[in-house]
Amino acid sequence: MMTNHGNRVTQGQFSFLPDLSDEQITAQIKYALKNGWAVNVEYTDDPHPRNTYWEMFGMPMFDLKDPAGILMEINHCRETFPNHYVRVTAFDSTRGWESPRMSFIVNRPDKEPGFRLVREERGGRSMGYTIAPYAADRPEGERY
Amino acid sequence: MGKFETNIDAKPRYSAGVIPYKKMGYWEPDYRPKDTDVIALFRITPQEGVDPEEAAAAVAGESSTATWTVVWTDRLTACELYRAKAYRVDPVPNTGAGTAIDAQYFAYIAYDLDLFEPGSIANLTASIIGNVFGFKAVKALRLEDMRLPVAYLKTFQGPATGIVVERERLDKFGRPLLGATTKPKLGLSGRNYGRVVYEALKGGLDFVKDDENINSQPFMHWRDRFLYCMEAVNRASAATGEVKGHYLNVTAGTMDEMIERADFAKNLGSAIVMIDLVIGYTAIQSMAKWARNHDMILHLHRAGNSTYSRQKNHGMNFRVICKWMRMAGVDHIHAGTVVGKLEGDPLMIKGFYDTLRETRTEMSLEHGLFFDQDWASLNKVMPVASGGIHAGQMHQLIHYLGEDVVLQFGGGTIGHPDGIQAGAIANRVALETMILARNEGRDYLKEGPEILEAAAKWCSPLRAALETWKDITFNYASTDTADFVPTATASV
């Protein structure tokens, strides 16, 4: 079990808050749409902090402007992968950004065992550090 | 250039002796700056009896080609091109006759691009602020702003990483980053120091920071600090699943020592290193190149700037430092909090933040921005707000500073009654709950206290933080304030 506040992976912009309701998620989708950002849904069972490329649940919804429709896609992903991490990101295509502007987790496994820290002793007192999710010891799709 | 040659009759102009700067060609009221000119705006307080145009011409002369007397060797050069040209002088509102302040003037001076070495802040500043600030004809002098032409900006690397790539590397989007400076700033051993770092990062901060004067002292040599801090960073990262960092201050007595420390930080896996402004412009540019070559974020503490940026009549405005540091290539710079313990008028701070973060800034006199400035695609610098801020101000901080900022709660984390982790939790919960409310369209500035109270109902660390610091504010008048107000006209 993770021993941090909330006993959970705290990636994303709202992980310190109670899990967001559908209504709260919808409000965030509206904020993204108001800014002209494209909402994207991604899932993974490898929550390593440097695992950048979570699996895309379809394409970013560039042309879908209906918050209820976007929420349906999010819920579809959550139903398909109930024991995965699912995050919602919002992409800004304007010059000077061209990058996500929002990212928050909307689904997570019931139990989050956390990460192993491996210390590799080097010369002197130096240490090389490796972080690995305990769950990633098992094959993809069988982790949570 | 023919235009200027016709203005001056060469024979009397180059007769040996001393003539006014205005007559030497440094005052050109009809000059229209070229797109490639560097423009500097000075606030000049002339000595008694010196007329403002002559004072402006003198500043132009002393910051470009002039010396105190006529020299015939000018005529071996394209001197009309190399002379800086004062082309406009405006009285500063609310100074001079009828006020308690000596008459001041804003002087606009244009410099040809060929006066400057490409890619060198040292060379730029050696001209613009080199000799001229000690010049007797002016009682006081302040560099208020500069317009840097795109052609010149393109010769600078700019921020090693920039806001966008920093966020991508950290995997943190849509909210300000959270930091803290380890306290006490002096005296902790490496082992104890790392404890503070671990507790704050595990509690929920993204970064912890060395202070400006933590380098390598008898109580903690730099290698000890780096080793223990990286243990703390990695432990916290494993405990949370987040990318974490500690700004390892590599400031040292020589460039070689700084590089040695930065290399050690990199080899230990740090995402970020830190330098102080006092190391100097050339050292900063060298470290910015090193940072880009080694995938490292570069944090700059503005140690020393208030010695010349705070007083309104002499020195230089901090917005100019912001511009030079964006060119020099730092990724973070301390740029004020509005509500904290250090100097900072809200309008002025908005000008600093816009200068660091926008791709283009428009002239805005009430924010102290005297020129349109295109940033020529140089990366954006992440401003850092640090000094006397706490969770109870979260709505104000987000309102004034926006979301691309590092909010650093040092005392406001480490001084929490229930410990450092609790302090970090309080700050992170306050931040996330306020961003959620902002995005929901709530009037979060007005409703801020209620939004925080509501979160404090389920988050006891936040409850304790709000209780501890509820009445702490720093309401002192700023010294560096706007000369122009948005609505009023200048007094006549």
Side-chain angles (χ1 to χ4, degrees):
Chain A
M1 190 185 85
M2 298 181 75
T3 59
N4 66 353
H5 180 71
N7 313 112
R8 50 166 52 182
V9 169
T10 52
Q11 296 170 18
Q13 61 190 123
F14 301 127
S15 281
F16 274 65
L17 304 181
D19 290 340
L20 303 190
S21 65
D22 280 9
E23 193 187 349
Q24 286 175 306
I25 293 170
T26 303
Q28 297 300 314
I29 295 168
K30 285 181 180 164
Y31 178 75
L33 293 175
K34 193 179 81 183
N35 283 290
W37 301 337
V39 178
N40 186 36
V41 185
E42 298 172 317
Y43 62 96
T44 192
D45 60 1
D46 175 10
H48 190 283
R50 291 176 71 176
N51 174 20
T52 304
Y53 303 113
W54 293 22
E55 299 302 327
M56 294 165 68
F57 192 75
M59 306 273 273
M61 292 172 261
F62 295 108
D63 302 314
L64 188 50
K65 304 297 180 200
D66 170 29
I70 292 173
L71 182 67
M72 274 176 63
E73 278 303 301
I74 293 169
N75 285 334
H76 187 195
C77 183
R78 296 201 281 198
E79 284 152 20
T80 313
F81 299 102
N83 289 315
H84 281 53
Y85 292 90
V86 176
R87 73 182 175 197
V88 174
T89 54
F91 282 100
D92 181 356
S93 63
T94 55
R95 176 187 173 227
W97 285 108
E98 295 151 299
S99 183
R101 298 297 294 277
M102 300 173 72
S103 178
F104 55 97
I105 291 176
V106 294
N107 197 68
R108 52 178 80 233
D110 288 338
K111 289 203 172 99
E112 300 187 64
F115 301 83
R116 172 187 295 123
L117 180 67
V118 181
R119 293 181 182 81
E120 176 213 351
E121 289 166 319
R122 296 178 178 167
R125 303 302 302 161
S126 288
M127 197 77 83
Y129 296 96
T130 301
I131 290 169
Y134 290 109
D137 290 347
R138 293 187 292 279
E140 266 189 276
E142 300 169 18
R143 288 172 177 166
Y144 291 97
Chain B
M1 295 317 301
K3 186 171 143 243
F4 303 112
E5 284 156 21
T6 59
N7 281 352
I8 296 165
D9 186 355
K11 195 150 185 279
R13 163 65 178 83
Y14 292 105
S15 305
V18 178
I19 57 173
Y21 288 89
K22 262 173 92 168
K23 297 230 161 63
M24 287 201 270
Y26 297 104
W27 170 244
E28 290 286 351
D30 298 329
Y31 184 72
R32 288 188 55 212
K34 302 190 292 280
D35 286 346
T36 53
D37 283 350
V38 170
I39 306 175
L41 178 89
F42 289 94
R43 176 196 300 265
I44 297 179
T45 310
Q47 293 285 10
E48 299 292 333
V50 175
D51 96 78
E53 291 168 7
E54 172 63 12
V59 170
E62 289 296 321
S63 60
S64 61
T65 56
T67 188
W68 60 278
T69 184
V70 172
V71 291
W72 65 267
T73 42
D74 269 350
R75 302 184 78 178
L76 303 174
T77 70
C79 55
E80 291 84 1
L81 179 76
Y82 298 139
R83 273 186 205 118
K85 294 155 191 80
Y87 64 91
R88 177 177 165 187
V89 172
D90 298 338
V92 175
N94 308 311
T95 69
T99 73
I101 303 168
D102 287 337
Q104 300 177 354
Y105 300 88
F106 286 130
Y108 292 73
I109 300 176
Y111 302 78
D112 190 87
L113 190 51
D114 274 1
L115 291 169
F116 306 106
E117 176 175 342
S120 170
I121 299 287
N123 177 258
L124 175 71
T125 56
S127 279
I128 304 291
I129 59 168
N131 262 344
V132 66
F133 280 72
F135 192 51
K136 280 184 177 170
V138 294
K139 197 180 278 179
L141 185 63
R142 190 181 199 220
L143 178 59
E144 288 288 344
D145 199 4
M146 291 187 77
R147 195 284 304 266
L148 288 317
V150 167
Y152 193 45
L153 292 178
K154 281 290 184 189
T155 68
F156 287 86
Q157 170 192 281
T161 312
I163 289 177
V164 172
V165 175
E166 172 171 354
R167 285 192 173 282
E168 290 178 348
R169 282 195 198 155
L170 300 175
D171 188 38
K172 295 174 197 291
F173 305 98
R175 63 167 174 86
L177 303 177
L178 283 179
T181 307
T182 312
K183 304 284 175 184
K185 58 207 273 182
L186 298 170
L188 291 169
S189 69
R191 187 178 191 276
N192 292 336
Y193 196 92
R195 165 62 74 184
V196 178
V197 176
Y198 171 65
E199 297 291 326
L201 292 179
K202 185 179 178 187
L205 301 193
D206 304 301
F207 287 126
V208 183
K209 168 182 166 292
D210 286 342
D211 224 333
E212 73 282 2
N213 51 356
I214 270 289
N215 299 147
S216 192
Q217 282 108 323
F219 50 80
M220 176 171 62
H221 288 110
W222 68 274
R223 293 179 71 98
D224 296 330
R225 183 169 85 257
F226 285 25
L227 289 166
Y228 281 111
C229 286
M230 289 315 297
E231 171 73 15
V233 165
N234 285 288
R235 281 277 284 115
S237 193
T240 60
E242 286 187 81
V243 179
K244 301 279 185 182
H246 178 85
Y247 318 157
L248 294 166
N249 190 348
V250 302
T251 297
T254 68
M255 203 61 231
D256 291 343
E257 284 171 281
M258 286 206 289
I259 295 289
E260 183 191 350
R261 293 178 193 190
D263 281 336
F264 191 58
K266 183 194 120 188
N267 290 334
L268 290 172
S270 183
I272 183 163
V273 292
M274 162 181 170
I275 51 176
D276 294 339
L277 182 59
V278 290
I279 68 174
Y281 303 131
T282 297
I284 291 169
Q285 279 193 269
S286 295
M287 288 307 301
K289 299 242 176 196
W290 180 92
R292 180 166 285 182
N293 289 340
H294 295 89
D295 318 312
M296 195 70 88
I297 301 164
L298 183 62
H299 178 97
L300 178 82
H301 186 292
R302 56 173 168 171
N305 89 91
S306 289
T307 52
Y308 46 82
S309 69
R310 190 173 183 189
Q311 297 305 325
K312 213 168 160 178
N313 65 339
H314 190 81
M316 58 191 291
N317 194 289
F318 186 69
R319 79 179 63 88
V320 180
I321 294 287
C322 291
K323 290 191 173 181
W324 292 350
M325 289 304 104
R326 188 167 179 180
M327 295 157 77
V330 305
D331 292 313
H332 288 183
I333 184 171
H334 294 242
T337 63
V338 179
V339 296
K341 70 179 179 184
L342 300 177
E343 168 77 23
D345 172 79
L347 295 171
M348 295 292 97
I349 295 217
K350 176 162 173 36
F352 304 158
Y353 275 56
D354 286 352
T355 292
L356 296 167
R357 296 190 300 202
E358 299 297 319
T359 46
R360 186 187 154 80
T361 49
E362 305 293 330
M363 184 180 86
S364 168
L365 294 181
E366 71 258 35
H367 298 125
L369 303 177
F370 288 82
F371 305 103
D372 294 346
Q373 177 68 57
D374 183 329
W375 277 99
S377 303
L378 290 190
N379 283 340
K380 303 164 193 214
V381 183
M382 184 85 83
V384 176
S386 177
I389 57 177
H390 56 83
Q393 301 161 324
M394 195 58 79
H395 49 298
Q396 296 166 302
L397 290 166
I398 292 172
H399 171 76
Y400 284 117
L401 309 179
E403 81 181 27
D404 290 300
V405 57
V406 187
L407 300 176
Q408 298 216 155
F409 303 89
T413 300
I414 298 160
H416 191 283
D418 301 326
I420 300 169
Q421 280 197 36
I425 292 164
N427 288 324
R428 182 81 175 261
V429 168
L431 176 72
E432 293 193 359
T433 202
M434 202 58 68
I435 290 289
L436 188 84
R438 180 199 66 174
N439 295 0
E440 285 171 348
R442 291 182 64 179
D443 183 357
Y444 68 93
L445 183 61
K446 191 157 150 252
E447 300 168 29
E450 297 149 46
I451 293 166
L452 292 173
E453 286 300 333
K457 286 202 170 66
W458 54 265
C459 177
S460 58
L462 179 58
R463 193 156 62 237
L466 295 178
E467 184 55 32
T468 303
W469 292 304
K470 61 178 182 243
D471 296 323
I472 304 301
T473 54
F474 298 89
N475 289 325
Y476 301 101
S478 292
T479 51
D480 184 25
T481 51
D483 293 289
F484 301 93
V485 284
T487 49
T489 49
S491 54
V492 287

